[in-house]
Each structure stands twice: as structure tokens, then as C-alpha cells.
Amino acid sequence: MPPRTDTQSPAPHVADSHDLIRVQGARENNLKDVSIEIPKRRLTVFTGVSGSGKSSLVFGTIAAESQRMINETYSTFVQGFMPTLARPEVDLLEGLTTAIIVDQERMGANSRSTVGTATDANAMLRIVFSRLGEPSAGPSFHYSFNTPAGACPRCEGMGSVTDVDLTQLYDDSKSLAEGALTIPGYSTDGWYGRIFSGCGFFAPDKPIREFTKTELHDLLHKEPTKIKVDGINLTYEGLIPKIQKSMLSKDRDALQPHIRAFVDRAVTFTACPECDGSRLNEAARSSRIKGVNIADACAMQISDLAEWVHGLDEVSVAPLLSTLRQTLDSFVEIGLGYLSLDRPSGTLSGGEAQRTKMIRHLGSSLTDVTYVFDEPTTGLHPHDIQRMNDLLLRLRDKGNTVLVVEHKPEAIAIADHVVDLGPGAGTAGGTVCYEGTLEGLRGSGTLTGRHLDDRAALKETVRTPKGTLEIRGATAHNLRDVDVDIPLGVLCVVTGVAGSGKSSLVHGSIPAGAGVVSIGQGAIRGSRRSNPATYTGLLDPIRKAFAKANGVKPALFSANSEGACPNCNGAGVIYTDLAMMAGVATICEECDGKRFQASVLDHHLGGRDISEVLAMSVTEAEEFFGAGEARTPAAHAILNRLADVGLGYLSLGQPLTTLSGGERQRLKLATHMAEKGGVYVLDEPTTGLHLADVEQLLGLLDRLVDSGKSVIVIEHHQAVMAHADWIIDLGPGAGHDGGRIVFEGTPADLVAARSTLTGEHLAAYVGT
């Protein structure tokens, strides 16, 4: 071999040859032995109908294994404090890099968590105030409402104080013996009845309105006191501290529905009179920079705060100010400049939460990592999608692998590589239908390829309203004294850029209650024991039908009750905790994962046992309960609604924890459709929907309107806008640049006028 001259390029280094992530034999959830190669340092978009296996491949296999392997690099002692991650069902994964998941899980609804505390903005701002504030309140933790040193003593840093409405606790015309207490679980027959009647602090048969001051104080406020009732030592405590501990101190979303309803009725929150809702003590509030205290700074719209921080020039904290500016500028750049740092993080939508998490990564110096995004365009107006695309490309151009699960054609358009899963959903999905370039996808003939250029047309004729819902002087959040008439009996779409005031108008100003059914995007809280059958109430008629056919009681047909396999307690799997190491889940040998005791499976309905029925898909079950020996109209009606919202492929017993966000929302929609409301309010129902399914959703919305309902939809998807009878467009911008009605009328008028951002994008979409 001749000696190499300098003009020849050096042989590639072997370390540079690892430029693919290889997946072989992935079988997580519904994946059918999937093998693919994903290019590193490129942007790959995963497409396919909802339930086709995108999340199982990207999150459940690639990201999950990356995180598991990183956890294994820690000592077993440290691993003991980490969540245990099971190894995904896959034969081989090669070329993985550290995965950073930026998903749409809502941020904790803890009332002490705000946008500022969830990012590093608050921490930096506190240091700035501790150095530059006049007079100084002390070190930075003296400016934090989450530490005793900085918190307002009256509200303990919560910003609000609670008052309890006594009329919701008891009926004062009755005595305790007559059941005066109206608190859930406090019945006279139970323990509380014995404690209250035997404590001796008041007469159990005297109406509460006749109590003396002392008796009423003892009933409501008495501190824990040892008493003896029927020879048993017990502790008596007043009603208010008792419900404070048992109900009010818990996360509202974690309460059972009837207790949550009671808390909502009985407790009123008012801004703390001492700190005026700022959460901080006097010393922190009186420390100012250029006349602004830290509470004022956190209450500013972030775009304004960024401007204020840019105006601070102090050499002693120059590096800190520079980092803080970068963080605040990132908020503006990502389209969240309309938020404020004191906004509770639990009130952010899924899309806003995802973009807030992204801020941490934009300024990161890490490269060669894998960023995994779940529908980053959720909650974004077409105008903002371009901005999101730029950010994803920036992450890629720093030398990172970016994996995106997406449905929107505008977001798929920037892919270097596309992986399309399908062909269908659930058991009909789980295979790779196409991988390659975007152009190749167009001509591939797959469901995604065929629908990629779908454009909904404007309707020829629109429906005539049957009345109006009047909103007058709405000022929730950023709304500027808005007056609007929402037409009833039609499909009305409320749109506008993120932060323009849509949710404030629809959720904050439409009078709740009488006939309004609101279906938001909040997560369904469910354990691995919850499934579509238990959540929708479908299991009740099924259990009754089995019980009736076999002459036994319904509780036998519940894996959470009497029918449960005693070995696994009806879970179907045995969880073995290995202390320091990752726990192991093994299928229960006794019931073979069927969750029921053997004797229960001897009972049949229409030739099937209960475990076989729970393994059916919605479509199969619809047929099974629709006719013949198993005909059960109550079950059939619920199954009809599940099929209506496009969940025909879900199996009845699939754990709720395995459903995607879009699937969970449609499950909620199916459940709420049974309610007797006349006005349906839907928040972005197209989230998680494939282009091909949007058509089905539009059909469902039409059927709701045609059956006499009024449907109000907050939506960014142009297909839904084009299909509307009436559009209300908010804007013109976000935050204090929004909050006004910039257009109301028919979609055709909006397109013709092109007077708003929405109008321009809709006109481009329908091709006029």
C-alpha cells in the first residue's frame, strides 16, 4: 500500500461510525416485532393513527431503555430511591444516547409550584433581589414564599386564606342525632356519630341553632382532646380542623368526586389580607429594585419582566443577570411570553407545560443527546407552529437526535426522516408501514401518506343559531371587558394564538352549571386497576348481566372485589420488590393473568367468561352485547359512544395508564356524552388525532349539534375551523396584547376578510 500523502483525507475514525439507533424485535404494548434504524443527529417524526404504537416505540421502548440504562450507572443504593423501570420488550437496542423526554404530562398541581419555581427563573430572581434590593431582606431564601424566612406568616406562603361555609357542614335546624351533619362520610350511624353523641361537649338531641357559644366552638374548633366512649379511648376534634386535615390539605384532584364536590361547595378561597396574595412577608415585600419588589416582578407578564431585567446593569451580578435574561428571552421566543412567573404550574395546559419544560433545554450545553417530544404543536395556533419548528431544528443543529411524535402536516414537513406506524390502531397497528423521506411518504399509499395533503373545505351552508349565550364584561385573566354572544344550537369554534384568552373566555366566563358539560384535557387519574370498562361505568351493566344469567351476585365479576384471584388480589401480575434493585412484575400463575378466581370463570354469558369479555375490543363487545343471549342495552349504549369517538380498537380491560393523552380525552368525551347537558364545551378535541380521524371527529360534532346540543370548541386545527358554523377569534396577540375579540362571524367571512392571523392561515389552508 503506497504511503498516504497529505492530499488524501484520513480514514474515518471508527468512533464516528455509530450514526444509527437500531431497534430489533420491539414488542412493547401492541408493537409486532418492530425493527427499524433511526439516523442520529437528525430530526425523525413518528406518524400514524392514534393507538398505532408511536408512543410504545418512542417512549415505551427507546426512551424507556435509555433511562433505565442511565439509572443502572448509579450505585444500587441510589437506585433504591429511583422509580423502578422494567426492561422494555425488545430483542436488541443499539446506539442509544441519553434520552431527555419533553412530554405533555401536566406539571404538579401543588399550589406551591409556579412557573417561576418550576424553571430556575425564581431562584435567579431571588439572588438578584438579595444583592440589589433596598433595603435587603437578607439571603436569597428570605425572598422565597416556600421557606418560613420569606413566607407571609398569616397564609404561610399560600397567598390565599380559606373560609369554610358553615351552612355546607350542617343543617342547624336539626340535632346531631337527627343527622344534622352534611359532610361526606360523617353519618350518625358510623364512628363519628358515636364520638359526637358520646363526647359530652353538647347534647346530641338539641338542634345546632340552640347551641351556646361554647358548645358551637367545641363542635367546630375544639383542639384534639382524649375522651372515652363506651369504654373505648378515642380522640375528639372539632369539625373544621378535622376536615382541614382529612380533605383540605390534600391535592384537590386526588380527592374522590363526591368529596371534591363538597370541598368546592364548602370552602372559599380569598386573597390573604396581610400580604395581598403576594405570599411574602413584610421584609421581602418592602425590598425593592427601581421601585419594584419581587412580588411585582413575578406578577409581570414575562415579556415585560424580560425588558425590565435587560434594564438592570450591575457588575457584581452580571453573569447571573445574563443567565436570567437568557431564560426569560427563551420564554418569549417559545411563545410563552404572556405567562407570569407567579402563575401556578398546575394551571398550565399540556402544551404550555411541555414548552415550559423545553426552556431548560434550549440553553443547555449538552449535545449528542436524544430529545423526545410528544406532539409539541399541541395548543399552538398555526402562526406559532413555525416558531416551534425552528426550535426543534435548533436542537437538532446543535448535534442532537430529535424524535417527535406528531400529526400536524406543518410539523411533519420539517422531518429529515419519517417513520409511519399502523396500518390501524390497537391490535390492527404495531407495524412499520413506511420509513424514509417526506416525499416518499406522500407517494407511499399509507393512511398518513394519503391524508397528508387533506384540506377541509368551507361548508356550503351554515346552521342558523337557535339562541345565544350572552357574556358581558368578561375580565378573567387577560380578557379586556369582553362582550360576546355565543350562538346556541350550532358548532361554534373559539380560536386565537396561544395565550390570547380562549380558555379564559370559555372556561372562565361561560356560567358553569345548568346544562354545561365541560370536557377539558386534564389527565384521567387512574391506577393500573382502572380501565375503560371501569372508568365509563360499562362494567356495572356487564356484571349485572353475568349475575342475572348465572344466578349469583354481581360483585363476583369484579377483579377489584369478591371475584379477585386471591394470589394476585385481582391485579393479574405479582409485583416483587427487590429492595435495592428494580422490582419485577410476573404474570400470576394462579389465574394466568386473567385477574379472577377460577370459580368465577365457570360462569358464562353468551358462551364467554368475564375475562374473555374484558379482553374484547370495543368493536367486538358492541356486537356481542348488541344481540342474542348476551344482549344488554345499557352496555351497548356505552360501547356505541366509545366507538363514536374513535376508540373501537381499545380493549375493555386495558389499563388506563397505558392510554395516550388523546385517547384519554376521547374516553372522557364518550363518558360525558351520556350527561344531560345542552351545551358541550370541548378543549382541543383534535389533540392526538391522526389526520384521517379528524374527519370522524367532525362527524361526531355534527351529530351532537344535529341532536339538539350546542357545541363550543376551543381549537387551532384549521379543519375544525373550516367546518364551524360560527367562529370567535381572540387576539390580536397573547397576554396583555390579547384578550379582545378580533373577529366573530362565519368561516367564509373570516377567510374573505383575512383581517386576523387566524384568517390569513385559514385562507391559506382552504386554498383561496
Side-chain angles (χ1 to χ4, degrees):
M1 190 176 161
R4 190 171 68 81
T5 63
D6 282 342
T7 54
Q8 289 177 313
S9 57
H13 195 291
V14 67
D16 297 329
S17 62
H18 305 282
D19 49 7
L20 291 172
I21 295 175
R22 286 193 182 83
V23 181
Q24 272 178 19
R27 295 178 300 282
E28 198 63 28
N29 292 333
N30 66 334
L31 296 178
K32 295 175 182 161
D33 233 3
V34 165
S35 297
I36 57 163
E37 294 187 338
I38 301 165
K40 283 191 186 173
R41 295 176 285 282
R42 296 291 180 273
L43 193 149
T44 300
V45 174
F46 293 78
T47 58
V49 295
S50 183
S52 59
K54 304 181 298 296
S55 296
S56 302
L57 178 61
V58 179
F59 293 94
T61 306
I62 299 170
E65 182 62 357
S66 167
Q67 293 210 307
R68 192 183 73 84
M69 295 180 96
I70 289 166
N71 285 4
E72 282 189 353
T73 62
Y74 296 104
S75 69
T76 12
F77 175 72
V78 173
Q79 284 181 49
F81 297 99
M82 293 175 151
T84 51
L85 302 169
R87 187 179 189 283
E89 284 276 313
V90 61
D91 294 336
L92 177 74
L93 276 171
E94 269 184 357
L96 288 182
T97 68
T98 306
I100 293 174
I101 296 177
V102 191
D103 59 18
Q104 290 200 32
E105 283 303 311
R106 296 289 177 103
M107 292 170 125
N110 184 326
S111 44
R112 292 192 172 277
S113 170
T114 62
V115 170
T117 61
T119 54
D120 292 330
N122 254 39
M124 291 188 276
L125 204 55
R126 291 203 312 267
I127 300 171
V128 170
F129 269 87
S130 70
R131 301 282 196 280
L132 308 181
E134 290 289 337
S136 175
S140 69
F141 62 85
H142 284 90
Y143 291 88
S144 166
F145 51 79
N146 286 332
T147 63
C152 161
R154 167 83 192 269
C155 64
E156 297 181 337
M158 296 300 280
S160 60
V161 286
T162 54
D163 281 332
V164 176
D165 179 356
L166 300 182
T167 62
Q168 297 295 336
L169 305 189
Y170 53 75
D171 176 349
D172 70 355
S173 66
K174 292 181 179 173
S175 69
L176 291 167
E178 291 169 326
L181 298 182
T182 51
I183 307 165
Y186 283 59
S187 82
T188 323
D189 319 333
W191 265 109
Y192 289 123
R194 288 176 69 177
I195 291 173
F196 282 113
S197 57
C199 66
F201 299 129
F202 28 70
D205 42 15
K206 181 161 86 171
I208 293 181
R209 63 169 58 145
E210 292 173 20
F211 276 20
T212 65
K213 256 191 173 158
T214 309
E215 286 172 332
L216 194 59
H217 176 271
D218 287 350
L219 173 69
L220 294 174
H221 301 291
K222 196 167 185 70
E223 60 284 349
T225 309
K226 296 262 184 285
I227 58 167
K228 206 169 201 155
V229 177
D230 302 338
I232 302 169
N233 290 325
L234 297 166
T235 299
Y236 173 86
E237 188 174 14
L239 288 176
I240 288 177
K242 200 156 192 59
I243 62 172
Q244 199 88 36
K245 285 178 195 151
S246 66
M247 300 176 191
L248 307 187
S249 61
K250 293 194 168 70
D251 177 2
R252 181 186 171 281
D253 290 337
L255 298 172
Q256 290 169 283
H258 68 290
I259 293 179
R260 191 186 315 153
F262 163 75
V263 169
D264 289 346
R265 284 196 312 272
V267 181
T268 54
F269 292 90
T270 50
C272 170
E274 192 158 314
C275 65
D276 204 17
S278 70
R279 303 171 171 232
L280 294 162
N281 62 22
E282 176 60 35
R285 292 198 310 273
S286 52
S287 173
R288 296 175 184 272
I289 301 173
K290 294 187 173 177
V292 172
N293 69 19
I294 192 165
D296 301 332
C298 290
M300 282 182 195
Q301 187 164 306
I302 289 176
S303 53
D304 295 343
L305 178 62
E307 229 169 275
W308 183 76
V309 172
H310 275 284
L312 299 180
D313 188 19
E314 182 60 50
V315 181
S316 60
V317 284
L320 182 67
L321 283 172
S322 153
T323 315
L324 178 57
R325 282 181 202 123
Q326 269 173 359
T327 303
L328 297 174
D329 289 345
S330 296
F331 270 103
V332 177
E333 187 180 355
I334 210 164
L336 292 178
Y338 60 88
L339 296 177
S340 59
L341 295 183
D342 63 4
R343 168 95 173 253
S345 54
T347 64
L348 299 181
S349 69
E352 286 171 333
Q354 185 179 33
R355 299 201 294 285
T356 302
K357 292 175 197 170
M358 234 182 131
I359 284 168
R360 291 189 175 167
H361 307 301
L362 286 176
S364 164
S365 333
L366 289 172
T367 65
D368 250 335
V369 297
T370 301
Y371 284 103
V372 186
F373 288 93
D374 186 8
E375 277 200 81
T377 58
T378 297
L380 286 184
H381 187 272
H383 169 71
D384 297 318
I385 291 179
Q386 185 58 52
R387 213 187 234 167
M388 175 56 79
N389 283 349
D390 292 344
L391 294 170
L392 294 172
L393 292 170
R394 239 175 65 191
L395 284 173
R396 176 202 67 185
D397 293 347
K398 276 169 59 177
N400 298 307
T401 306
V402 181
L403 308 182
V404 182
V405 172
E406 240 328 326
H407 294 289
K408 297 249 173 79
E410 306 96 308
I412 301 171
I414 62 165
D416 300 309
H417 188 72
V418 180
V419 177
D420 189 29
L421 285 117
T427 49
T431 60
V432 173
C433 301
Y434 170 82
E435 47 181 323
T437 63
L438 179 69
E439 274 318 301
L441 176 66
R442 271 207 171 82
S444 66
T446 67
L447 196 60
T448 308
R450 291 202 307 273
H451 287 275
L452 205 55
D453 296 314
D454 272 10
R455 295 291 180 265
L458 295 171
K459 287 202 297 207
E460 294 288 316
T461 56
V462 292
R463 299 178 181 93
T464 310
K466 296 191 175 71
T468 55
L469 196 108
E470 291 187 1
I471 293 177
R472 294 291 176 266
T475 53
H477 294 307
N478 66 332
L479 295 179
R480 307 251 179 135
D481 207 15
V482 167
D483 294 342
V484 65
D485 292 337
I486 297 180
L488 295 176
V490 300
L491 175 59
C492 174
V493 170
V494 179
T495 186
V497 296
S500 59
K502 302 179 299 297
S503 297
S504 306
L505 180 70
V506 174
H507 296 305
S509 310
I510 290 180
V516 175
V517 177
S518 185
I519 305 160
Q521 291 219 1
I524 291 176
R525 290 178 183 272
S527 67
R528 29 178 192 240
R529 286 178 174 276
S530 315
N531 53 44
T534 58
Y535 181 77
T536 56
L538 172 63
L539 203 53
D540 289 338
I542 292 180
R543 283 200 301 243
K544 285 178 185 148
F546 265 95
K548 193 175 171 190
N550 294 282
V552 290
K553 52 184 180 179
L556 276 180
F557 301 99
S558 166
N560 296 331
S561 182
E562 291 183 33
C565 161
N567 190 40
C568 62
N569 291 328
V573 287
I574 306 278
Y575 293 96
T576 315
D577 181 12
L578 299 179
M580 294 280 189
M581 290 161 71
V584 178
T586 47
I587 288 180
C588 169
E589 289 175 9
E590 192 104 345
C591 67
D592 199 20
K594 289 180 176 170
R595 304 176 62 193
F596 293 90
Q597 37 185 306
S599 58
V600 174
L601 301 181
D602 292 338
H603 299 302
H604 289 82
L605 175 69
R608 304 286 188 100
D609 68 39
I610 183 74
S611 74
E612 290 171 325
V613 167
L614 288 174
M616 287 179 180
S617 71
V618 167
T619 313
E620 287 171 73
E622 201 177 0
E623 202 175 312
F624 179 74
F625 288 108
E629 188 195 333
R631 186 172 177 274
T632 312
H636 193 251
I638 295 173
L639 289 160
N640 259 335
R641 289 196 292 272
L642 286 168
D644 250 358
V645 296
L647 293 177
Y649 60 88
L650 278 191
S651 77
L652 305 187
Q654 185 176 338
L656 286 191
T657 46
T658 63
L659 300 188
S660 69
E663 287 169 333
R664 288 196 298 243
Q665 193 188 12
R666 297 203 296 290
L667 187 60
K668 270 166 89 170
L669 177 57
T671 310
H672 284 300
M673 272 165 55
E675 293 178 19
K676 293 284 176 275
V679 180
Y680 280 72
V681 175
L682 286 86
D683 198 341
E684 277 204 83
T686 58
T687 300
L689 272 191
H690 187 264
L691 297 158
D693 295 329
V694 171
E695 217 165 295
Q696 189 178 358
L697 177 81
L698 293 175
L700 171 67
L701 297 178
D702 275 341
R703 285 200 298 283
L704 280 173
V705 177
D706 293 340
S707 70
K709 311 281 187 198
S710 300
V711 180
I712 302 166
V713 185
I714 296 177
E715 195 46 270
H716 294 291
H717 202 297
Q718 291 108 318
V720 182
M721 293 181 205
H723 200 73
D725 297 306
W726 192 257
I727 285 187
I728 295 171
D729 192 12
L730 282 124
H736 58 43
D737 300 322
R740 298 187 185 88
I741 305 279
V742 290
F743 175 85
E744 43 187 323
T746 64
D749 290 346
L750 177 62
V751 165
R754 295 187 190 213
S755 56
T756 70
L757 278 171
T758 308
E760 284 174 31
H761 283 277
L762 186 57
Y765 174 83
V766 296
T768 56

